[in-house]
Amino acid sequence: MRITLKILFTNSFTKFAMPKHTCLGLGLLLSLMSVMVQAQTMRIPNDDTVLERLPANWRDSSAVLRAQQTQTQPTTASLATLAPLAQQDIEHFRTTGDPRWLGIAQARLAPWQANPPPVAQLLFASIANGRHEFSTALRHLDDLLIQQPNNAQARLMRSNLHTLQGRYPATIRDCGALYGQTSDLVFFSCLALPQSLSGKAAAAYTQLHTQLKTSQQDPPNVRAWAWGILADIAQRLGNTKAMHAHYKAALMLAPQDVFLLSNYADALLLHQQPQQAYQLVQAFAQSDGILLRRARAAQALKLKSGDEDAQTLRRRFEAAIAHQEAGHEREWTYFYLYIQPDASRALRYAQMNWQQQHEPIDAHLLLQAASAAKQPQAAQVVLQWQRDNQVEDVTFNTLAASFK
């Protein structure tokens, strides 16, 4: 039996699927996902084809969204009900990497889109950040902090965005404003990353490590975040033993955090440990970032699943490019460097990515892409970034040596 079905999606290039034992109407399916700019036609080969395995709580999410669609006037009471649910959706995105949760969160908050009160503005900033719409996220946060200069969540999120885009003095200013408004661990974790990227990596590492030992009362997610920062700094300082220990400590507290999993998998692959990397991410393939690492590890191990994952990623990326989606340039660079090598494409996407993101991984990818494409001039922008900020990073130094 051949069926032609048009499905509309938003902010994701995944071909989503439905389990065959779940019977959903198209309207309900679309209530779970916002609408993409263009539709695509997909031919389903047979009745046993799995289109998507929906989250366990999809029924609760869809019921809330349908109820909200009947609401004509946004009220303070309804926002008090829906804002915590939207926050849960955003947390689901952070732990799974599945962008559909951002669409669900935005749909819940749609009545407040035009004139968001502070609580909605913070959530809209989180959604924009998750979609890599950084200028939109910063605009929301700037507006919110004018209204509420002591809003610690907004200031912490803005500090992270400044770090992401390489504005370390601005990050340090925002982190400094958190003193006395958050726990000491949040304060020192916020400061550690920009300081470690501004010529003070050893001091930042020692200070944060000391604080972690005395901050047992902080929530697990905060401690996991701090251990992840510490692991990142240890890796850049070349302390491999500490890096492994810190990532393991973080994952003990947040075992399904896709960002921790991706970062640790990269570290394992860097140190020629594909078997350990594969085992780490084998069960977490919903996120494109995780799937990239799994495919890379599987290819290094010469597993058939590596080619299958590569085909899945290629289809997703081709669909995203066809729909002119932005914000995935880091993933595309990774794909064309490691999974399906294409030096010119890798360099093009690495350069596009560098316009938006200035984290160490972005510098590494651009250096590798410039080297693969035999375009040494393309590396100059990150070499200058390293000099300007006195970034201490043994991996960067190794990659940069070929350009000197």
Side-chain angles (χ1 to χ4, degrees), residues 231-266:
D232 176 71
I233 299 173
Q235 182 177 354
R236 285 188 276 114
L237 288 171
N239 191 340
T240 303
K241 182 178 179 181
M243 177 268 292
H244 285 296
H246 299 335
Y247 272 128
K248 289 175 182 177
L251 288 166
M252 283 288 290
L253 296 165
Q256 297 184 354
D257 188 290
V258 295
F259 302 104
L260 284 172
L261 289 165
S262 294
N263 291 345
Y264 191 26
D266 278 340

PDB file of all heavy atoms in Angstrom, residues 231-266:
ATOM      1  N   ALA A 231      35.373  20.001  33.373  1.00  0.00           N
ATOM      2  CA  ALA A 231      35.920  19.029  32.425  1.00  0.00           C
ATOM      3  C   ALA A 231      36.440  19.718  31.172  1.00  0.00           C
ATOM      4  O   ALA A 231      37.513  19.370  30.648  1.00  0.00           O
ATOM      5  CB  ALA A 231      34.846  18.001  32.052  1.00  0.00           C
ATOM      6  N   ASP A 232      35.688  20.699  30.689  1.00  0.00           N
ATOM      7  CA  ASP A 232      36.098  21.440  29.495  1.00  0.00           C
ATOM      8  C   ASP A 232      37.421  22.172  29.731  1.00  0.00           C
ATOM      9  O   ASP A 232      38.325  22.144  28.883  1.00  0.00           O
ATOM     10  CB  ASP A 232      34.996  22.433  29.116  1.00  0.00           C
ATOM     11  CG  ASP A 232      35.379  23.312  27.945  1.00  0.00           C
ATOM     12  OD1 ASP A 232      35.448  22.800  26.812  1.00  0.00           O
ATOM     13  OD2 ASP A 232      35.623  24.520  28.161  1.00  0.00           O
ATOM     14  N   ILE A 233      37.533  22.816  30.894  1.00  0.00           N
ATOM     15  CA  ILE A 233      38.773  23.541  31.190  1.00  0.00           C
ATOM     16  C   ILE A 233      39.939  22.559  31.332  1.00  0.00           C
ATOM     17  O   ILE A 233      41.043  22.812  30.827  1.00  0.00           O
ATOM     18  CB  ILE A 233      38.609  24.387  32.466  1.00  0.00           C
ATOM     19  CG1 ILE A 233      37.497  25.433  32.279  1.00  0.00           C
ATOM     20  CG2 ILE A 233      39.925  25.087  32.809  1.00  0.00           C
ATOM     21  CD1 ILE A 233      37.152  26.192  33.553  1.00  0.00           C
ATOM     22  N   ALA A 234      39.699  21.446  32.015  1.00  0.00           N
ATOM     23  CA  ALA A 234      40.762  20.444  32.194  1.00  0.00           C
ATOM     24  C   ALA A 234      41.250  19.930  30.851  1.00  0.00           C
ATOM     25  O   ALA A 234      42.464  19.757  30.634  1.00  0.00           O
ATOM     26  CB  ALA A 234      40.245  19.287  33.051  1.00  0.00           C
ATOM     27  N   GLN A 235      40.327  19.707  29.924  1.00  0.00           N
ATOM     28  CA  GLN A 235      40.728  19.222  28.605  1.00  0.00           C
ATOM     29  C   GLN A 235      41.588  20.256  27.882  1.00  0.00           C
ATOM     30  O   GLN A 235      42.611  19.917  27.271  1.00  0.00           O
ATOM     31  CB  GLN A 235      39.489  18.899  27.767  1.00  0.00           C
ATOM     32  CG  GLN A 235      39.841  18.345  26.379  1.00  0.00           C
ATOM     33  CD  GLN A 235      38.604  17.968  25.587  1.00  0.00           C
ATOM     34  OE1 GLN A 235      37.489  18.015  26.083  1.00  0.00           O
ATOM     35  NE2 GLN A 235      38.803  17.588  24.335  1.00  0.00           N
ATOM     36  N   ARG A 236      41.190  21.517  27.957  1.00  0.00           N
ATOM     37  CA  ARG A 236      41.976  22.542  27.271  1.00  0.00           C
ATOM     38  C   ARG A 236      43.351  22.743  27.905  1.00  0.00           C
ATOM     39  O   ARG A 236      44.301  23.120  27.230  1.00  0.00           O
ATOM     40  CB  ARG A 236      41.195  23.867  27.241  1.00  0.00           C
ATOM     41  CG  ARG A 236      40.066  23.843  26.210  1.00  0.00           C
ATOM     42  CD  ARG A 236      39.401  25.181  26.025  1.00  0.00           C
ATOM     43  NE  ARG A 236      38.376  25.425  27.031  1.00  0.00           N
ATOM     44  CZ  ARG A 236      38.448  26.360  27.949  1.00  0.00           C
ATOM     45  NH1 ARG A 236      39.514  27.151  28.023  1.00  0.00           N
ATOM     46  NH2 ARG A 236      37.466  26.541  28.815  1.00  0.00           N
ATOM     47  N   LEU A 237      43.439  22.455  29.199  1.00  0.00           N
ATOM     48  CA  LEU A 237      44.739  22.541  29.871  1.00  0.00           C
ATOM     49  C   LEU A 237      45.600  21.296  29.659  1.00  0.00           C
ATOM     50  O   LEU A 237      46.762  21.277  30.071  1.00  0.00           O
ATOM     51  CB  LEU A 237      44.531  22.770  31.378  1.00  0.00           C
ATOM     52  CG  LEU A 237      44.032  24.160  31.790  1.00  0.00           C
ATOM     53  CD1 LEU A 237      43.666  24.171  33.271  1.00  0.00           C
ATOM     54  CD2 LEU A 237      45.088  25.223  31.482  1.00  0.00           C
ATOM     55  N   GLY A 238      45.029  20.270  29.033  1.00  0.00           N
ATOM     56  CA  GLY A 238      45.789  19.044  28.783  1.00  0.00           C
ATOM     57  C   GLY A 238      45.781  18.060  29.931  1.00  0.00           C
ATOM     58  O   GLY A 238      46.557  17.098  29.933  1.00  0.00           O
ATOM     59  N   ASN A 239      44.897  18.248  30.897  1.00  0.00           N
ATOM     60  CA  ASN A 239      44.795  17.340  32.042  1.00  0.00           C
ATOM     61  C   ASN A 239      43.749  16.274  31.717  1.00  0.00           C
ATOM     62  O   ASN A 239      42.595  16.344  32.149  1.00  0.00           O
ATOM     63  CB  ASN A 239      44.415  18.114  33.305  1.00  0.00           C
ATOM     64  CG  ASN A 239      44.543  17.276  34.563  1.00  0.00           C
ATOM     65  OD1 ASN A 239      44.554  16.042  34.500  1.00  0.00           O
ATOM     66  ND2 ASN A 239      44.644  17.930  35.705  1.00  0.00           N
ATOM     67  N   THR A 240      44.168  15.266  30.956  1.00  0.00           N
ATOM     68  CA  THR A 240      43.227  14.262  30.446  1.00  0.00           C
ATOM     69  C   THR A 240      42.608  13.438  31.566  1.00  0.00           C
ATOM     70  O   THR A 240      41.406  13.138  31.531  1.00  0.00           O
ATOM     71  CB  THR A 240      43.947  13.338  29.451  1.00  0.00           C
ATOM     72  OG1 THR A 240      44.511  14.132  28.403  1.00  0.00           O
ATOM     73  CG2 THR A 240      42.990  12.335  28.846  1.00  0.00           C
ATOM     74  N   LYS A 241      43.398  13.064  32.545  1.00  0.00           N
ATOM     75  CA  LYS A 241      42.868  12.259  33.651  1.00  0.00           C
ATOM     76  C   LYS A 241      41.758  12.996  34.383  1.00  0.00           C
ATOM     77  O   LYS A 241      40.689  12.425  34.660  1.00  0.00           O
ATOM     78  CB  LYS A 241      44.004  11.908  34.619  1.00  0.00           C
ATOM     79  CG  LYS A 241      43.555  11.035  35.779  1.00  0.00           C
ATOM     80  CD  LYS A 241      44.739  10.685  36.680  1.00  0.00           C
ATOM     81  CE  LYS A 241      44.304   9.825  37.868  1.00  0.00           C
ATOM     82  NZ  LYS A 241      45.451   9.496  38.756  1.00  0.00           N
ATOM     83  N   ALA A 242      41.976  14.260  34.695  1.00  0.00           N
ATOM     84  CA  ALA A 242      40.949  15.061  35.375  1.00  0.00           C
ATOM     85  C   ALA A 242      39.733  15.245  34.475  1.00  0.00           C
ATOM     86  O   ALA A 242      38.582  15.212  34.947  1.00  0.00           O
ATOM     87  CB  ALA A 242      41.526  16.407  35.781  1.00  0.00           C
ATOM     88  N   MET A 243      39.965  15.454  33.188  1.00  0.00           N
ATOM     89  CA  MET A 243      38.855  15.633  32.257  1.00  0.00           C
ATOM     90  C   MET A 243      37.917  14.431  32.296  1.00  0.00           C
ATOM     91  O   MET A 243      36.690  14.586  32.406  1.00  0.00           O
ATOM     92  CB  MET A 243      39.400  15.835  30.840  1.00  0.00           C
ATOM     93  CG  MET A 243      38.344  15.971  29.758  1.00  0.00           C
ATOM     94  SD  MET A 243      37.902  14.379  28.991  1.00  0.00           S
ATOM     95  CE  MET A 243      39.418  13.973  28.132  1.00  0.00           C
ATOM     96  N   HIS A 244      38.457  13.211  32.220  1.00  0.00           N
ATOM     97  CA  HIS A 244      37.623  12.008  32.285  1.00  0.00           C
ATOM     98  C   HIS A 244      36.850  11.966  33.594  1.00  0.00           C
ATOM     99  O   HIS A 244      35.635  11.682  33.613  1.00  0.00           O
ATOM    100  CB  HIS A 244      38.492  10.752  32.168  1.00  0.00           C
ATOM    101  CG  HIS A 244      38.979  10.476  30.785  1.00  0.00           C
ATOM    102  ND1 HIS A 244      38.136  10.188  29.732  1.00  0.00           N
ATOM    103  CD2 HIS A 244      40.234  10.432  30.274  1.00  0.00           C
ATOM    104  CE1 HIS A 244      38.855   9.975  28.630  1.00  0.00           C
ATOM    105  NE2 HIS A 244      40.131  10.115  28.937  1.00  0.00           N
ATOM    106  N   ALA A 245      37.516  12.224  34.696  1.00  0.00           N
ATOM    107  CA  ALA A 245      36.873  12.155  36.006  1.00  0.00           C
ATOM    108  C   ALA A 245      35.733  13.168  36.117  1.00  0.00           C
ATOM    109  O   ALA A 245      34.654  12.858  36.661  1.00  0.00           O
ATOM    110  CB  ALA A 245      37.907  12.397  37.105  1.00  0.00           C
ATOM    111  N   HIS A 246      35.950  14.360  35.586  1.00  0.00           N
ATOM    112  CA  HIS A 246      34.931  15.410  35.703  1.00  0.00           C
ATOM    113  C   HIS A 246      33.721  15.113  34.821  1.00  0.00           C
ATOM    114  O   HIS A 246      32.575  15.349  35.242  1.00  0.00           O
ATOM    115  CB  HIS A 246      35.533  16.762  35.357  1.00  0.00           C
ATOM    116  CG  HIS A 246      36.664  17.174  36.246  1.00  0.00           C
ATOM    117  ND1 HIS A 246      36.811  16.699  37.527  1.00  0.00           N
ATOM    118  CD2 HIS A 246      37.721  18.019  36.025  1.00  0.00           C
ATOM    119  CE1 HIS A 246      37.897  17.226  38.074  1.00  0.00           C
ATOM    120  NE2 HIS A 246      38.457  18.023  37.184  1.00  0.00           N
ATOM    121  N   TYR A 247      33.943  14.628  33.607  1.00  0.00           N
ATOM    122  CA  TYR A 247      32.805  14.272  32.755  1.00  0.00           C
ATOM    123  C   TYR A 247      31.998  13.149  33.390  1.00  0.00           C
ATOM    124  O   TYR A 247      30.753  13.151  33.364  1.00  0.00           O
ATOM    125  CB  TYR A 247      33.265  13.864  31.356  1.00  0.00           C
ATOM    126  CG  TYR A 247      33.388  15.025  30.400  1.00  0.00           C
ATOM    127  CD1 TYR A 247      34.558  15.233  29.665  1.00  0.00           C
ATOM    128  CD2 TYR A 247      32.332  15.911  30.210  1.00  0.00           C
ATOM    129  CE1 TYR A 247      34.671  16.295  28.790  1.00  0.00           C
ATOM    130  CE2 TYR A 247      32.441  16.983  29.327  1.00  0.00           C
ATOM    131  CZ  TYR A 247      33.613  17.170  28.620  1.00  0.00           C
ATOM    132  OH  TYR A 247      33.718  18.227  27.750  1.00  0.00           O
ATOM    133  N   LYS A 248      32.672  12.168  33.976  1.00  0.00           N
ATOM    134  CA  LYS A 248      31.955  11.066  34.614  1.00  0.00           C
ATOM    135  C   LYS A 248      31.151  11.564  35.810  1.00  0.00           C
ATOM    136  O   LYS A 248      30.016  11.119  36.034  1.00  0.00           O
ATOM    137  CB  LYS A 248      32.943   9.978  35.029  1.00  0.00           C
ATOM    138  CG  LYS A 248      33.515   9.212  33.843  1.00  0.00           C
ATOM    139  CD  LYS A 248      34.590   8.224  34.260  1.00  0.00           C
ATOM    140  CE  LYS A 248      35.166   7.508  33.042  1.00  0.00           C
ATOM    141  NZ  LYS A 248      36.276   6.582  33.416  1.00  0.00           N
ATOM    142  N   ALA A 249      31.714  12.495  36.565  1.00  0.00           N
ATOM    143  CA  ALA A 249      30.976  13.080  37.690  1.00  0.00           C
ATOM    144  C   ALA A 249      29.738  13.830  37.196  1.00  0.00           C
ATOM    145  O   ALA A 249      28.653  13.740  37.798  1.00  0.00           O
ATOM    146  CB  ALA A 249      31.890  14.024  38.476  1.00  0.00           C
ATOM    147  N   ALA A 250      29.883  14.564  36.096  1.00  0.00           N
ATOM    148  CA  ALA A 250      28.749  15.305  35.536  1.00  0.00           C
ATOM    149  C   ALA A 250      27.657  14.352  35.055  1.00  0.00           C
ATOM    150  O   ALA A 250      26.463  14.565  35.324  1.00  0.00           O
ATOM    151  CB  ALA A 250      29.220  16.189  34.388  1.00  0.00           C
ATOM    152  N   LEU A 251      28.058  13.295  34.375  1.00  0.00           N
ATOM    153  CA  LEU A 251      27.079  12.367  33.816  1.00  0.00           C
ATOM    154  C   LEU A 251      26.435  11.496  34.880  1.00  0.00           C
ATOM    155  O   LEU A 251      25.333  10.971  34.668  1.00  0.00           O
ATOM    156  CB  LEU A 251      27.730  11.506  32.730  1.00  0.00           C
ATOM    157  CG  LEU A 251      28.028  12.273  31.433  1.00  0.00           C
ATOM    158  CD1 LEU A 251      28.968  11.486  30.536  1.00  0.00           C
ATOM    159  CD2 LEU A 251      26.725  12.591  30.695  1.00  0.00           C
ATOM    160  N   MET A 252      27.079  11.326  36.018  1.00  0.00           N
ATOM    161  CA  MET A 252      26.423  10.647  37.134  1.00  0.00           C
ATOM    162  C   MET A 252      25.217  11.459  37.609  1.00  0.00           C
ATOM    163  O   MET A 252      24.202  10.897  38.042  1.00  0.00           O
ATOM    164  CB  MET A 252      27.412  10.468  38.288  1.00  0.00           C
ATOM    165  CG  MET A 252      28.418   9.358  38.092  1.00  0.00           C
ATOM    166  SD  MET A 252      27.662   7.709  38.234  1.00  0.00           S
ATOM    167  CE  MET A 252      27.305   7.674  40.003  1.00  0.00           C
ATOM    168  N   LEU A 253      25.308  12.757  37.510  1.00  0.00           N
ATOM    169  CA  LEU A 253      24.231  13.646  37.947  1.00  0.00           C
ATOM    170  C   LEU A 253      23.211  13.908  36.848  1.00  0.00           C
ATOM    171  O   LEU A 253      22.041  14.176  37.129  1.00  0.00           O
ATOM    172  CB  LEU A 253      24.830  14.977  38.417  1.00  0.00           C
ATOM    173  CG  LEU A 253      25.738  14.896  39.648  1.00  0.00           C
ATOM    174  CD1 LEU A 253      26.559  16.168  39.790  1.00  0.00           C
ATOM    175  CD2 LEU A 253      24.900  14.660  40.902  1.00  0.00           C
ATOM    176  N   ALA A 254      23.641  13.879  35.588  1.00  0.00           N
ATOM    177  CA  ALA A 254      22.752  14.171  34.457  1.00  0.00           C
ATOM    178  C   ALA A 254      23.058  13.185  33.331  1.00  0.00           C
ATOM    179  O   ALA A 254      23.641  13.553  32.306  1.00  0.00           O
ATOM    180  CB  ALA A 254      22.934  15.608  33.994  1.00  0.00           C
ATOM    181  N   PRO A 255      22.688  11.916  33.495  1.00  0.00           N
ATOM    182  CA  PRO A 255      23.124  10.871  32.556  1.00  0.00           C
ATOM    183  C   PRO A 255      22.564  10.990  31.149  1.00  0.00           C
ATOM    184  O   PRO A 255      23.104  10.372  30.232  1.00  0.00           O
ATOM    185  CB  PRO A 255      22.647   9.572  33.226  1.00  0.00           C
ATOM    186  CG  PRO A 255      21.555   9.989  34.143  1.00  0.00           C
ATOM    187  CD  PRO A 255      21.907  11.363  34.615  1.00  0.00           C
ATOM    188  N   GLN A 256      21.514  11.775  30.958  1.00  0.00           N
ATOM    189  CA  GLN A 256      20.913  11.888  29.629  1.00  0.00           C
ATOM    190  C   GLN A 256      21.104  13.269  29.011  1.00  0.00           C
ATOM    191  O   GLN A 256      20.474  13.582  27.998  1.00  0.00           O
ATOM    192  CB  GLN A 256      19.420  11.548  29.697  1.00  0.00           C
ATOM    193  CG  GLN A 256      19.156  10.119  30.132  1.00  0.00           C
ATOM    194  CD  GLN A 256      17.681   9.763  30.093  1.00  0.00           C
ATOM    195  OE1 GLN A 256      16.828  10.613  29.840  1.00  0.00           O
ATOM    196  NE2 GLN A 256      17.371   8.507  30.322  1.00  0.00           N
ATOM    197  N   ASP A 257      21.972  14.076  29.570  1.00  0.00           N
ATOM    198  CA  ASP A 257      22.205  15.413  29.031  1.00  0.00           C
ATOM    199  C   ASP A 257      22.968  15.312  27.713  1.00  0.00           C
ATOM    200  O   ASP A 257      24.124  14.899  27.677  1.00  0.00           O
ATOM    201  CB  ASP A 257      23.001  16.236  30.044  1.00  0.00           C
ATOM    202  CG  ASP A 257      23.116  17.694  29.626  1.00  0.00           C
ATOM    203  OD1 ASP A 257      23.835  17.960  28.641  1.00  0.00           O
ATOM    204  OD2 ASP A 257      22.512  18.550  30.281  1.00  0.00           O
ATOM    205  N   VAL A 258      22.319  15.706  26.618  1.00  0.00           N
ATOM    206  CA  VAL A 258      22.914  15.494  25.298  1.00  0.00           C
ATOM    207  C   VAL A 258      24.155  16.344  25.075  1.00  0.00           C
ATOM    208  O   VAL A 258      25.048  15.960  24.309  1.00  0.00           O
ATOM    209  CB  VAL A 258      21.895  15.746  24.164  1.00  0.00           C
ATOM    210  CG1 VAL A 258      20.768  14.746  24.213  1.00  0.00           C
ATOM    211  CG2 VAL A 258      21.352  17.161  24.212  1.00  0.00           C
ATOM    212  N   PHE A 259      24.230  17.488  25.740  1.00  0.00           N
ATOM    213  CA  PHE A 259      25.392  18.342  25.530  1.00  0.00           C
ATOM    214  C   PHE A 259      26.614  17.765  26.247  1.00  0.00           C
ATOM    215  O   PHE A 259      27.715  17.750  25.696  1.00  0.00           O
ATOM    216  CB  PHE A 259      25.075  19.766  25.997  1.00  0.00           C
ATOM    217  CG  PHE A 259      23.886  20.347  25.271  1.00  0.00           C
ATOM    218  CD1 PHE A 259      22.656  20.447  25.886  1.00  0.00           C
ATOM    219  CD2 PHE A 259      23.997  20.756  23.951  1.00  0.00           C
ATOM    220  CE1 PHE A 259      21.553  20.954  25.211  1.00  0.00           C
ATOM    221  CE2 PHE A 259      22.913  21.269  23.267  1.00  0.00           C
ATOM    222  CZ  PHE A 259      21.682  21.364  23.900  1.00  0.00           C
ATOM    223  N   LEU A 260      26.419  17.261  27.463  1.00  0.00           N
ATOM    224  CA  LEU A 260      27.512  16.571  28.146  1.00  0.00           C
ATOM    225  C   LEU A 260      27.949  15.336  27.372  1.00  0.00           C
ATOM    226  O   LEU A 260      29.144  15.068  27.207  1.00  0.00           O
ATOM    227  CB  LEU A 260      27.076  16.172  29.556  1.00  0.00           C
ATOM    228  CG  LEU A 260      27.015  17.265  30.616  1.00  0.00           C
ATOM    229  CD1 LEU A 260      26.383  16.722  31.899  1.00  0.00           C
ATOM    230  CD2 LEU A 260      28.405  17.815  30.908  1.00  0.00           C
ATOM    231  N   LEU A 261      26.973  14.578  26.891  1.00  0.00           N
ATOM    232  CA  LEU A 261      27.293  13.369  26.141  1.00  0.00           C
ATOM    233  C   LEU A 261      28.075  13.694  24.874  1.00  0.00           C
ATOM    234  O   LEU A 261      29.062  13.020  24.545  1.00  0.00           O
ATOM    235  CB  LEU A 261      26.005  12.614  25.783  1.00  0.00           C
ATOM    236  CG  LEU A 261      25.276  11.931  26.951  1.00  0.00           C
ATOM    237  CD1 LEU A 261      23.864  11.545  26.544  1.00  0.00           C
ATOM    238  CD2 LEU A 261      26.047  10.693  27.410  1.00  0.00           C
ATOM    239  N   SER A 262      27.653  14.724  24.155  1.00  0.00           N
ATOM    240  CA  SER A 262      28.350  15.111  22.924  1.00  0.00           C
ATOM    241  C   SER A 262      29.773  15.568  23.211  1.00  0.00           C
ATOM    242  O   SER A 262      30.716  15.173  22.514  1.00  0.00           O
ATOM    243  CB  SER A 262      27.578  16.234  22.211  1.00  0.00           C
ATOM    244  OG  SER A 262      26.333  15.788  21.756  1.00  0.00           O
ATOM    245  N   ASN A 263      29.925  16.392  24.244  1.00  0.00           N
ATOM    246  CA  ASN A 263      31.253  16.910  24.564  1.00  0.00           C
ATOM    247  C   ASN A 263      32.201  15.800  25.003  1.00  0.00           C
ATOM    248  O   ASN A 263      33.377  15.778  24.612  1.00  0.00           O
ATOM    249  CB  ASN A 263      31.146  17.979  25.647  1.00  0.00           C
ATOM    250  CG  ASN A 263      30.480  19.252  25.163  1.00  0.00           C
ATOM    251  OD1 ASN A 263      30.337  19.470  23.964  1.00  0.00           O
ATOM    252  ND2 ASN A 263      30.057  20.095  26.085  1.00  0.00           N
ATOM    253  N   TYR A 264      31.690  14.886  25.820  1.00  0.00           N
ATOM    254  CA  TYR A 264      32.555  13.801  26.283  1.00  0.00           C
ATOM    255  C   TYR A 264      32.880  12.848  25.132  1.00  0.00           C
ATOM    256  O   TYR A 264      34.011  12.361  25.012  1.00  0.00           O
ATOM    257  CB  TYR A 264      31.905  13.059  27.444  1.00  0.00           C
ATOM    258  CG  TYR A 264      32.843  12.095  28.154  1.00  0.00           C
ATOM    259  CD1 TYR A 264      34.234  12.291  28.147  1.00  0.00           C
ATOM    260  CD2 TYR A 264      32.350  11.000  28.852  1.00  0.00           C
ATOM    261  CE1 TYR A 264      35.091  11.414  28.803  1.00  0.00           C
ATOM    262  CE2 TYR A 264      33.201  10.129  29.515  1.00  0.00           C
ATOM    263  CZ  TYR A 264      34.564  10.336  29.487  1.00  0.00           C
ATOM    264  OH  TYR A 264      35.412   9.467  30.129  1.00  0.00           O
ATOM    265  N   ALA A 265      31.914  12.599  24.261  1.00  0.00           N
ATOM    266  CA  ALA A 265      32.186  11.750  23.096  1.00  0.00           C
ATOM    267  C   ALA A 265      33.272  12.364  22.225  1.00  0.00           C
ATOM    268  O   ALA A 265      34.164  11.653  21.734  1.00  0.00           O
ATOM    269  CB  ALA A 265      30.903  11.546  22.288  1.00  0.00           C
ATOM    270  N   ASP A 266      33.220  13.679  22.027  1.00  0.00           N
ATOM    271  CA  ASP A 266      34.275  14.345  21.256  1.00  0.00           C
ATOM    272  C   ASP A 266      35.635  14.165  21.915  1.00  0.00           C
ATOM    273  O   ASP A 266      36.649  13.936  21.237  1.00  0.00           O
ATOM    274  CB  ASP A 266      33.966  15.838  21.117  1.00  0.00           C
ATOM    275  CG  ASP A 266      32.992  16.140  19.994  1.00  0.00           C
ATOM    276  OD1 ASP A 266      32.846  15.300  19.089  1.00  0.00           O
ATOM    277  OD2 ASP A 266      32.375  17.219  20.028  1.00  0.00           O
TER     278      ASP A 266
END
